Each structure stands twice: as structure tokens, then as C-alpha cells.
Amino acid sequence: PIQITLAASEPVAAIRYTVNGTLPTMRSTPYAGPFLLREPCELRARSFKDGFADGSGASALFAPPPDPLRLDLAGCKPGDLSPMGKTHEEEGKEATIRVAADETTPAFLRFLDRPGQKYDFNPHLSIPFKMKAGRLVGRITVRVDKDTHLYYQWRRHNIPPLQPGPTFYIRPGGKLCLTNGRELMRVPLGQWVTFEVTGTLGVAPAAPFTLRVHLPGEEKPREFRDLPAPGAGFRAMDSLFIVAQGVAKAQFDVKDIELVPAD
């Protein structure tokens, strides 16, 4: 339990509050003094006084962070679907996402992109992950070929309108880019490269994010700070998307997908 105290800048204003995330009205619970919260909730409070307007009031989220998410391919066989998330493919197009293995890596996800699909964003993998507030670190290790065109994106997907959060692209030739087309660097082809995204959820406007790129043979990561999220209204996420967006024959491999709440 945690004790909550509410105060308004107008001392004689009446305060009303809700614990379900909805905007308080004159019919909501009146505040009479400090009280205990015993369960996780989104608390919203608003003051009321003749002649004064309190548009949106104040809000705070009292909830533990979600459990970390990590891709586990143990027990999977080559040809299996990803055990995590939902695989989206077009029937008969040979554009697939399947567990694979080679002489250096016992298990990873292989994305095969092919021309002639109805949608450029297939195949893609969507992974549910809900988080409303706090700092989040996402990691993914990728191996690309010269024709790879992919993007990685945190997203609020299930509540319209869609709001994209921290996003990076790898375009043909290994070009690491942002949504606006800004090129950050070139990614080596045919080698495992780890990308680390750090962002903050639950703030307005959408917070910038940091991208670190861990290259093979380099002790320190390449770091890019204050990168803009493409969705100005992005606050909370409910999904991670890994998308093969090319229109040519291409292949890329993915392993070590993680989303870990920090602090």
C-alpha cells in the first residue's frame, strides 16, 4: 500500500479522482484527505471551482513494470515458427519467418523476403509487450545481406490511431537509417550486429531515444542520442514489430530479442 495526498493550486477547489485512468467528473470520488492505494492503478485527479477550469488535471501510474521479454529458441527445430509473438506471412509467396541453424549459431529466426507480395510489410513478426511508463531497453542481434530492408519498431498498435515509437531501419547495402531517411552508419553485411534501443515511455511529448550499435571486433558501441520517435503521440507501447519491408529477394537473421524495463 502507498499513501496518496492530493492538492490543488486553488486551495478552496474541490478535488475529485478516479483509479481507472478515466478523466474525473463532478460525479467521481471526492477527495477528503490522504488515502491508501492497495492495488496497481492509474490515478487521475481534477479540481473543480466556479470560475476556474482544470482541463486534464493530473495523473500518475502506480504499477510494477512488466516482466522482461526474451526470445528463447531452446527446444525449437529448424522450420518451426517463432515460439514468441505472431508470424505474419502471405500464402504461397515463399516469404517466411522460420527457426534456422548453421555451423556457428545453433538457433535463430530467418526472415525470407520475396517480390510479388500484396503488402511490402510481409513477412513480419509482432510481439505483444505492454508498458505504460518508465525506461525500457530493447536489444536485438541481426545479420543482414546486401538486399535486406527491415525495420524494428516499438508501437502502440492495438488502440487507434497507431502510434510508432522508437524505430530504426536497415536498408539495402547495410544503411542504418531513421524513419525520416537520415542515415546513421553502414552495418557490415553477413555478420551478427547487436542493436540496443533505450527509450522512456509515459511522457509528453514523445521522448527521444538512444540507439547503440555493437559491432563485431569493436570494444565500444557506436552511440546515437536524442533520436526522434516517429509518432508524436507515442506514450505507451503494446507491441514490438520486426518487419521485412523489401520488394526484392532478400534474407536476414535475428536472435537475442529482448525488452527489459530499467530502473
Side-chain angles (χ1 to χ4, degrees):
I2 185 170
Q3 181 168 282
I4 303 297
T5 301
L6 304 176
S9 56
E10 286 293 320
V12 295
I15 301 174
R16 294 180 179 269
Y17 68 91
T18 62
V19 293
N20 61 1
T22 59
L23 185 67
T25 69
M26 281 297 294
R27 294 185 177 184
S28 300
T29 304
Y31 174 70
F35 61 94
L36 290 180
L37 284 182
R38 300 185 181 277
E39 301 291 339
C41 75
E42 183 175 356
L43 174 69
R44 295 189 69 175
R46 193 176 173 205
S47 57
F48 295 86
K49 181 186 175 187
D50 290 343
F52 290 86
D54 185 5
S56 58
S59 64
L61 182 67
F62 296 90
D67 292 333
L69 176 150
R70 293 182 175 90
L71 175 65
D72 184 3
L73 297 178
C76 293
K77 304 183 298 296
D80 286 352
L81 292 171
S82 170
M84 181 171 67
K86 183 177 180 181
T87 299
H88 303 259
E89 302 171 344
E90 293 184 16
E91 187 176 354
K93 298 299 183 181
E94 298 182 352
T96 60
I97 305 170
R98 294 289 187 274
V99 175
D102 60 23
E103 62 276 5
T104 63
T105 310
F108 52 85
L109 295 178
R110 171 156 288 170
F111 287 64
L112 297 179
D113 215 349
R114 295 292 183 265
Q117 298 184 83
K118 183 178 180 180
Y119 298 109
D120 294 348
F121 53 73
N122 283 328
H124 67 274
L125 180 66
S126 60
I127 302 171
F129 184 83
K130 293 184 179 181
M131 185 168 172
K132 286 189 174 182
R135 197 162 67 95
L136 181 65
V137 180
R139 298 182 185 89
I140 185 172
T141 301
V142 180
R143 180 172 60 187
V144 303
D145 70 8
K146 63 182 180 60
D147 297 309
T148 292
H149 193 170
L150 73 87
Y151 71 84
Y152 167 102
Q153 184 174 86
W154 300 359
R155 183 184 291 185
R156 192 193 72 189
H157 181 79
N158 298 323
I159 303 175
L162 184 152
Q163 288 291 342
T167 305
F168 68 83
Y169 287 75
I170 302 177
R171 293 185 167 136
K175 297 177 183 178
L176 177 64
C177 302
L178 301 179
T179 304
N180 60 12
R182 174 187 167 193
E183 183 176 335
L184 302 177
M185 60 175 286
R186 295 291 179 103
V187 175
L189 306 180
Q191 299 185 59
W192 289 111
V193 178
T194 298
F195 300 86
E196 182 179 283
V197 175
T198 302
T200 301
L201 294 92
V203 297
F209 68 97
T210 297
L211 175 62
R212 297 178 181 87
V213 184
H214 300 261
L215 295 170
E218 292 192 9
E219 196 169 307
K220 291 186 177 180
R222 310 274 183 96
E223 185 171 87
F224 305 93
R225 291 180 171 271
D226 297 321
L227 304 179
F234 179 77
R235 305 284 184 275
M237 71 179 288
D238 56 34
S239 306
L240 168 66
F241 274 69
I242 305 165
V243 179
Q245 205 188 25
V247 294
K249 185 177 180 178
Q251 169 184 303
F252 65 89
D253 301 327
V254 169
K255 63 176 184 175
D256 302 335
I257 302 170
E258 293 186 357
L259 289 171
V260 182
D263 300 336

